[in-house]
């Protein structure tokens, strides 16, 4: 008996393989242009090993999806007709990063080229607010960023939430954030409900991990660093580790909680309930307690962190003894903990982020001295200390980048239209 109608199982497998292969090749071409700059179709074919006809077809589709655009003629070609260059077109596709921290909320939208479309940070005493209220406030900021993307006829590739605590990314849960007083909060589900079930994906990640990714991307523009540790300081202290170009998350995704290394057993009680954690001696709260009196306005969490740090900077520049003493003390403790990390991980670079970067001119020297004294390898293991230029935007920028990375992995997540504008 002969069966008629439908397709043969083998043909479905072949079709699926073809779709998967094309998706992979689209990714290869898009990433090649991102990493190497404008290229002619012939050059892309030569560099990637794909044939010219395939590259022409792939480029045409990426242009339709609003991910590439036609550039100028290739002026480097010596013989024959100049080829047309194609270049990254980031204007129609954006990733959004949103951060919850102890004393502020922040949201940034970046386009595919890395340019800022929308950016906002709001001072807020999150540590004394319930999760529901905080998430509702953050949802308002995310809607503002999405509206800015919509205003330029763009598409949101995704939103990544950055939180200062232990995260279970596969379930979208914040397991524990001691400095927020939060535990077992399904932040992705809660945010999805507040945003009305958006079509774009939502993710959650540790803020230090996202800041480390942003710092790594920034350093790659000037030097080929493959191993780094980023220390981000606010009220809490987090760390992100990039090894051989890859973020280290740990066996269960809980790495990076360096602020809870026990370094001062006879010290203060930490927000996690333990005594003598590293952040109790190097966190922003620790610095302010050393440098200011209880009634000093600079301690007010309602004051934007940039303004608080600007005041500390002004006092340090004026040579105020108490401020300088506090900075030296924090810098030394920063080096004590940093030396532990350098001894274990031997990074090329130790990057100071958050408030450590802002006050780096006073923290760096005692930090480097402590590392030289305590790292067993010669010359501090070859580790350099640098200040991040991203400040408090690192985590949200890293979150936006994570959302955009999915486009480079699978360009078909971005729709196509007859006008070539991403849909």
């Amino acid at each position: 008996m002969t069966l008629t109608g439908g397709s043969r199982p083998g043909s479905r497998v072949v079709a699926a393989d073809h779709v998967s292969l094309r998706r992979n090749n689209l990714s290869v071409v898009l990433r090649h242009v991102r990493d190497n700059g404008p290229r002619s179709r012939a050059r892309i074919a030569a560099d990637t090993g794909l044939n010219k006809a395939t590259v022409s077809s792939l480029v045409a589709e990426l242009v339709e999806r609003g991910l590439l655009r036609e550039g100028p003629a290739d002026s480097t070609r010596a013989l024959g007709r100049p080829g047309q260059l194609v270049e990254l077109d980031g204007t129609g596709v954006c990733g959004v990063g949103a951060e919850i921290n102890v004393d502020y909320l922040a949201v940034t939208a970046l386009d595919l080229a890395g340019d800022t479309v929308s950016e906002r940070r709001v001072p807020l005493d999150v540590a004394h607010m319930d999760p529901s209220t905080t998430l509702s406030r953050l949802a308002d900021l995310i809607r503002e960023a999405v509206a800015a993307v919509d205003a330029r006829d763009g598409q949101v590739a995704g939103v990544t939430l950055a939180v200062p605590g232990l995260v279970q990314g596969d379930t979208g849960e914040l397991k524990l954030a001691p400095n927020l007083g939060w535990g077992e909060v399904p932040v992705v589900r809660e945010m999805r409900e507040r945003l009305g079930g958006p079509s774009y994906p939502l993710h959650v990640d540790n803020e230090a991990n996202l800041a480390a990714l942003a710092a790594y991307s920034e350093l790659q523009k000037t030097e080929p660093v493959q191993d780094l540790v980023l220390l981000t300081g606010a009220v809490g202290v987090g760390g992100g580790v990039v090894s051989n170009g890859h973020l280290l998350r740990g066996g269960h995704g809980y790495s990076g909680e360096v602020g809870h290394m026990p370094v001062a057993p006879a010290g203060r009680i930490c927000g996690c309930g333990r005594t003598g954690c590293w952040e109790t001696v190097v966190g922003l709260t620790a610095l302010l307690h050393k440098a200011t009196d209880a009634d000093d306005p600079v301690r007010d969490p309602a004051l934007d962190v940039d303004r608080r740090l600007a005041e500390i900077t002004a006092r340090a520049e004026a040579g105020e003894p108490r401020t300088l003493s506090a900075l030296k003390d924090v810098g030394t403790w920063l080096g004590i903990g940093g030396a532990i990390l350098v001894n274990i991980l031997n990074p090329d670079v130790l990057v100071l982020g958050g408030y450590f970067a802002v006050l780096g001119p006073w923290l760096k020297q005692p930090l480097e001295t402590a590392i030289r004294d305590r790292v067993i390898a010669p010359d501090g293991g070859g580790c350099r200390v640098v200040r991040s230029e991203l400040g408090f935007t690192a985590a949200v920028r890293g979150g936006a980048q994570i959302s955009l990375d999915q486009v480079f992995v699978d360009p078909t997540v971005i729709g196509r239209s007859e006008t070539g504008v991403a849909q």
Side-chain angles (χ1 to χ4, degrees), residues 134-155:
T134 300
L135 291 171
S136 293
R137 293 288 296 274
L138 186 62
D140 291 338
L141 296 179
I142 292 173
R143 276 190 286 268
E144 288 181 15
V146 171
V149 176
D150 290 342
R152 59 193 289 175
D153 294 324
Q155 177 177 343

Side-chain angles (χ1 to χ4, degrees), residues 8-343:
R8 293 175 296 168
S11 68
R12 290 195 294 271
V13 172
V14 171
D17 288 345
H18 176 75
V19 170
S20 178
L21 178 61
R22 186 168 181 83
R23 182 184 297 120
N24 178 73
N25 287 341
L26 287 167
S27 173
V28 168
V29 171
L30 186 62
R31 285 185 284 113
H32 186 72
V33 175
R34 175 197 64 184
D35 296 339
N36 298 284
R39 287 288 191 274
S40 67
R41 290 164 176 79
R43 180 70 182 275
I44 294 171
D47 290 346
T48 62
L50 297 168
N51 68 57
K52 293 181 180 179
T54 298
V55 168
S56 292
S57 174
L58 295 169
V59 167
E61 181 172 338
L62 291 168
V63 169
E64 285 184 48
R65 293 183 184 277
L67 301 174
L68 293 181
R69 64 187 172 202
E70 299 287 354
D74 184 3
S75 61
T76 63
R77 186 168 179 173
L79 299 174
R81 183 180 177 182
Q84 192 80 17
L85 297 179
V86 291
E87 58 190 13
L88 201 64
D89 181 6
T91 57
V93 179
C94 297
V96 176
E99 181 182 6
I100 301 169
N101 220 306
V102 175
D103 50 8
Y104 66 84
L105 301 177
V107 175
T108 291
L110 302 179
D111 67 19
L112 206 63
D115 295 326
T116 302
V117 175
S118 173
E119 186 172 49
R120 191 167 177 210
R121 187 176 70 241
V122 177
L124 195 67
D125 191 6
V126 176
H128 294 94
M129 298 176 67
D130 62 272
S132 179
T133 302
T134 300
L135 291 171
S136 293
R137 293 288 296 274
L138 186 62
D140 291 338
L141 296 179
I142 292 173
R143 276 190 286 268
E144 288 181 15
V146 171
V149 176
D150 290 342
R152 59 193 289 175
D153 294 324
Q155 177 177 343
V156 174
V159 174
T160 301
L161 309 174
V163 292
L166 301 177
V167 171
Q168 197 162 34
D170 57 344
T171 64
E173 289 185 274
L174 172 63
K175 304 302 289 184
L176 178 66
N179 289 318
L180 298 182
W182 293 14
E184 303 294 337
V185 180
V187 290
V188 168
R189 189 187 72 197
E190 294 283 341
M191 187 58 67
R192 189 178 301 282
E193 290 176 358
R194 284 166 174 76
L195 295 173
S199 58
Y200 50 78
L202 286 165
H203 303 284
V204 64
D205 208 330
N206 174 269
E207 53 96 15
N209 283 342
L210 295 174
L213 287 174
Y216 175 75
S217 296
E218 196 69 14
L219 281 173
Q220 292 306 299
K221 297 176 182 178
T222 57
E223 54 183 312
V225 170
Q226 291 298 301
D227 296 85
L228 67 80
V229 172
L230 173 116
L231 300 178
T232 180
V235 172
V237 175
V241 180
V242 175
S243 178
N244 196 28
H246 299 283
L247 182 69
L248 294 185
R249 295 184 178 278
H252 301 281
Y254 296 150
S255 67
E257 292 299 320
V258 298
H260 298 289
M261 293 190 302
V263 297
R268 296 172 54 204
I269 296 176
C270 179
C272 72
R274 297 168 178 82
T275 301
C277 292
W278 194 23
E279 69 182 43
T280 66
V281 289
V282 300
L284 182 56
T285 298
L287 172 67
L288 295 178
H289 279 139
K290 297 174 193 291
T292 67
D293 295 325
D295 60 350
D296 194 312
V298 80
R299 290 199 192 187
D300 183 1
L303 189 66
D304 184 73
V305 66
D306 279 341
R307 293 178 60 189
R308 300 164 78 185
L309 292 175
E311 177 59 27
I312 294 296
T313 297
R315 295 177 190 182
E317 289 175 340
E320 201 277 310
R322 183 175 176 182
T323 300
L324 293 176
S325 175
L327 288 167
K328 182 178 180 181
D329 189 52
V330 168
T332 299
W333 277 111
L334 198 56
I336 290 170
I340 296 172
L341 299 175
V342 173
N343 274 323

